[in-house]
Amino acid sequence: MSDPAFASSDGARGAGELPHARTLTLPGPLPLRLGGQLPEVRVCYETYGQLNAARDNAVYICHALSGDSHVARHDENDTPGWWDIAVGPGKAVDTDRFFVICANVLGGCRGTTGPSSIDPRTGRPYGGDFPRIAIADMVEVQKRLLDELGIARLHAVIGGSMGGMMALTWAIEHPERLDSAIFLATTHCLSSQALSFDIVGRNAIFKDPHYNGGQYYDQEQKPDDGLAIARMIGHVTYLSDRTMSRKFDPDREHPREVAYAYEKEFSVGSYLAYQGGRFVERFDANSYVTLSLAMDQFNLGRDHGSLEAAMGRIACPVLVASFRTDWLFPPAHSRRMVDALLAQGKSVSAIEVDSDCGHDAFLLENDLHVYGPLMAGFLDKGCGCISGGQGDEAQCGAAETNVRSIFFQNRLDLTRISERIEPGASVLDLGCGSGQLLAQLRGRGSGALLGLELNPQAIVDCVAQGLCVVQRDLDQGLRAFADGQFDVVVLSQTLQAMRRPDTVLKEMLRVGKTGIVSFPNFAHAEAVRQLLENGTSPVTEGLPFPWWSSPSIRFFSIKDFEALCGQLGIRLLARIAIDSATGEEIEADYNTRADMAICVLSGPASAAGN
């Protein structure tokens, strides 16, 4: 029986503040990964949109540490949600199309069972006796909730920060229930630096004189100072140096007056005081300890033997987005996960958003113009091309070769490259642009397809077509890929922009059994004439840029390229020299009459095999 003194404690900071939330008690006890069990679990959740008749349009959103089930407004009279910018009618996660579910996590304090909940065995709040939980326990509660709602499979799971850890766990431990997954600003394991901030924050709570071992719910004073300081520390990690300098440097010594009794000597101090004070009004210190410990214990490599083994369990297409100035969950962590997915041959698209907003970028409107359309396109099409298959040529844009590239308006090279790739071949397209070649190949049937690209808008365009593309600088190599992983590696109109063309060519032929390279010919007669007669850098059909905006940093001829291949021991299987103005293939005097070349290559090992 519950102690009357604590009758209103369960969810006191939670469901009552969320008028659209529903609470459901899950059947049976919940065994916990770290030992023990919870005798019962209540879960507070909200839904948006309508579940269709096929029950296949459900999208589950996993929230971050301080979030809750209220991901977005339900109507204009509702209070703001924590991700209103991305979730709603016509938005990236379109509630006119998708049935969106978000629940407060296990261990939280917004309606789902957590330390402030009543322990049915004692009738008092769990407090400091709430058992240690893992991210996997949170996901198990979410899975059981979906079972109760009659949803066997999700169109997508989406999560950022701690929510990304849950989304990763969904994809790894329950692959049979997902069609796709989106991981935002997250990690496979916290760095020691990130871990240290959490440790300091928890110590601030533990050393608060009112913490009382976590049994403070019947006390007049609670560990509010410790929680506020923990939040201030945590909030610093969510921001970037650039953001803080821009926000606080102009009025550095003119703090705003806020009604919280913490240091306000500087403008950044009053800001942190406000953030800490407001957080205490809606969060619970024990929940902060519980959730931060679960984050800190999350380690996919440890739990599955290696990160590669963990990623090998993922069966659905994946989208990974990191943010350049996020030093809490840095982009290197996302690249490590993407490399592991690529090594396992998984369907993955990835981008590193050039944001100056730090870790919180995925919650802010500043960068929504990049990751918003990316998510929308991914949810609409997914990315299944790493596993190949037949595609709809018209839908995929396979016929759209007459589009602007970085060197040619009419990409004659793409059609000719496509003709030299056998149906069913696996292809890695280096510098894939907006995916014209990949779409052509998919349209006629292919093996695994993957593009690497730097341009963010081109990546958005690819993902909107259901193509897999990863943002990478080719000059940094292809170390994520195994020897001979692809039948063909293509480098079209990109070699002249490489710092080390020789290294790129060698890497191409390590990863691919065959390489196909197209490039502009700087010895073309018209280019040479302009340079000699006018004394100016040439601008031609094949070289459309003025010198000051050209992406080219290497100026070589077809014969220069052939000589380099000879030096590297690369076998030239075919050479197609083209006049791009007429489309004519040139045989005689190709080094001066053609302004573009396509070369089919194989490495020394392939040559020996022939």
Side-chain angles (χ1 to χ4, degrees):
M1 179 178 293
S2 297
D3 187 328
F6 300 101
S8 63
S9 178
D10 190 19
R13 295 176 186 257
E17 301 172 10
L18 304 171
H20 293 276
R22 307 171 198 174
T23 301
L24 184 151
T25 300
L26 301 176
L30 177 72
L32 300 172
R33 289 293 176 93
L34 300 177
Q37 66 176 23
L38 288 167
E40 68 175 28
V41 172
R42 296 176 62 200
V43 57
C44 176
Y45 69 99
E46 297 182 46
T47 65
Y48 303 78
Q50 297 294 321
L51 186 63
N52 63 17
R55 310 182 82 80
D56 62 0
N57 69 328
V59 173
Y60 193 94
I61 296 179
C62 307
H63 68 73
L65 184 147
S66 61
D68 54 31
S69 62
H70 193 56
V71 65
R73 294 176 186 264
H74 290 266
D75 53 52
E76 61 183 15
N77 297 318
D78 197 8
T79 56
W82 56 264
W83 215 18
D84 277 315
I85 60 170
V87 179
K91 297 181 180 180
V93 185
D94 188 353
T95 52
D96 285 338
R97 296 186 55 203
F98 300 114
F99 180 63
V100 176
I101 311 116
C102 184
N104 184 219
V105 296
L106 179 71
C109 54
R110 302 283 286 174
T112 294
T113 295
S116 62
S117 302
I118 299 297
D119 181 348
R121 296 165 297 192
T122 66
R124 300 170 62 85
Y126 285 98
D129 295 328
F130 191 77
R132 289 277 296 276
I133 61 172
I135 296 292
D137 297 321
M138 302 176 193
V139 171
E140 178 62 25
V141 168
Q142 295 162 3
K143 182 173 73 73
R144 292 188 182 195
L145 169 63
L146 295 180
D147 290 341
E148 292 299 304
L149 297 178
I151 298 171
R153 191 173 180 89
L154 290 168
H155 178 73
V157 63
I158 305 173
S161 191
M162 185 183 81
M165 295 176 175
M166 286 179 260
L168 280 161
T169 302
W170 263 106
I172 291 166
E173 298 201 3
H174 307 290
E176 75 287 352
R177 299 192 67 158
L178 297 184
D179 290 336
S180 60
I182 299 177
F183 312 139
L184 304 171
T186 194
T187 183
H188 55 94
C189 176
L190 282 181
S191 68
S192 294
Q193 182 183 51
L195 187 64
S196 68
F197 283 103
D198 282 347
I199 291 169
V200 173
R202 286 193 295 270
N203 275 313
I205 292 171
F206 295 151
K207 295 302 181 181
D208 187 299
H210 304 296
Y211 181 62
N212 194 33
Q215 308 299 348
Y216 52 77
Y217 295 107
D218 58 344
Q219 297 176 179
E220 183 177 346
Q221 291 184 296
K222 297 176 174 56
D224 292 346
D225 286 338
L227 178 59
I229 293 169
R231 176 60 170 180
M232 292 182 211
I233 295 166
H235 201 78
V236 171
T237 70
Y238 305 153
L239 305 175
S240 70
D241 177 64
R242 277 187 274 175
T243 295
M244 296 187 80
S245 295
R246 185 177 61 246
K247 190 177 183 73
F248 303 115
D249 283 2
D251 59 352
R252 180 186 181 91
E253 297 178 2
H254 298 87
R256 298 172 61 182
E257 185 56 42
V258 295
Y260 299 103
Y262 304 105
E263 182 189 313
K264 299 184 283 284
E265 184 73 20
F266 300 97
S267 59
V268 67
S270 62
Y271 172 80
L272 292 174
Y274 176 81
Q275 294 295 330
R278 287 297 305 272
F279 190 65
V280 166
E281 295 170 6
R282 65 178 182 88
F283 217 77
D284 174 55
N286 280 324
S287 281
Y288 192 95
V289 169
T290 296
L291 300 183
S292 65
L293 277 170
M295 288 179 62
D296 294 352
Q297 287 290 335
F298 185 74
N299 187 331
L300 292 178
R302 177 202 63 208
D303 293 343
H304 296 276
S306 69
L307 183 58
E308 287 72 19
M311 295 301 170
R313 295 168 61 94
I314 295 177
C316 66
V318 165
L319 174 64
V320 181
S322 59
F323 298 84
R324 191 148 296 165
T325 55
D326 182 356
W327 56 279
L328 183 61
F329 293 174
H333 287 210
S334 290
R335 286 195 296 271
R336 177 76 178 86
M337 291 190 291
V338 171
D339 283 354
L341 286 162
L342 293 174
Q344 297 291 324
K346 301 300 181 179
S347 296
V348 57
S349 288
I351 193 169
E352 184 177 314
V353 180
D354 188 15
S355 167
D356 66 358
C357 295
H359 180 63
D360 265 356
F362 79 99
L363 297 172
L364 303 175
E365 196 162 7
N366 307 51
D367 302 296
L368 186 66
H369 67 285
V370 176
Y371 78 85
L374 195 67
M375 287 199 303
F378 182 80
L379 290 172
D380 185 37
K381 300 284 187 182
C383 71
C385 289
I386 200 78
S387 57
Q390 198 80 18
D392 182 335
E393 185 166 326
Q395 181 184 33
C396 297
E400 293 184 22
T401 56
N402 189 23
V403 297
R404 180 71 173 176
S405 77
I406 63 170
F407 288 101
F408 293 88
Q409 293 184 10
N410 190 359
R411 290 300 303 270
L412 298 174
D413 61 324
L414 294 184
T415 299
R416 286 170 169 82
I417 289 172
S418 177
E419 290 169 351
R420 283 160 178 80
I421 298 175
E422 293 291 331
S426 58
V427 179
L428 175 63
D429 189 359
L430 307 179
C432 66
S434 296
Q436 302 98 299
L437 176 63
L438 293 174
Q440 282 192 52
L441 296 173
R442 184 177 62 180
R444 63 179 176 81
S446 68
L449 296 176
L450 178 67
L452 301 187
E453 176 58 44
L454 263 180
N455 184 280
Q457 185 55 53
I459 293 169
V460 171
D461 293 342
C462 285
V463 170
Q465 299 175 75
L467 299 169
C468 292
V469 59
V470 171
Q471 188 177 41
R472 283 294 159 88
D473 182 347
L474 301 182
D475 277 313
Q476 295 180 0
L478 305 175
R479 60 184 176 275
F481 301 102
D483 294 357
Q485 187 168 337
F486 292 87
D487 295 320
V488 181
V489 178
V490 176
L491 184 69
S492 61
Q493 303 301 339
T494 305
L495 189 65
Q496 63 277 12
M498 297 291 95
R499 291 191 294 273
R500 289 301 304 267
D502 55 338
T503 302
V504 173
L505 289 173
K506 287 188 286 187
E507 276 287 89
M508 281 182 66
L509 293 171
R510 178 187 65 79
V511 171
K513 299 166 188 173
T514 301
I516 302 179
V517 181
S518 69
F519 54 88
N521 175 28
F522 289 88
H524 181 230
E526 174 58 22
V528 173
R529 185 195 67 78
Q530 289 185 31
L531 182 61
L532 292 178
E533 294 183 9
N534 301 336
T536 58
S537 295
V539 176
T540 69
E541 175 72 16
L543 303 170
F545 293 99
W547 66 268
W548 46 268
S549 64
S550 173
S552 297
I553 62 173
R554 301 295 178 192
F555 304 92
F556 56 94
S557 68
I558 300 174
K559 287 190 173 181
D560 286 330
F561 179 80
E562 291 172 344
L564 175 62
C565 289
Q567 293 173 24
L568 297 176
I570 293 173
R571 186 181 178 195
L572 183 62
L573 303 179
R575 179 195 61 244
I576 304 98
I578 303 170
D579 179 347
S580 62
T582 65
E584 179 186 0
E585 293 190 11
I586 306 297
E587 293 293 340
D589 299 325
Y590 62 85
N591 200 53
T592 57
R593 293 178 58 208
D595 64 355
M596 175 173 62
I598 301 170
C599 294
V600 183
L601 313 172
S602 68
S606 297
N610 292 333

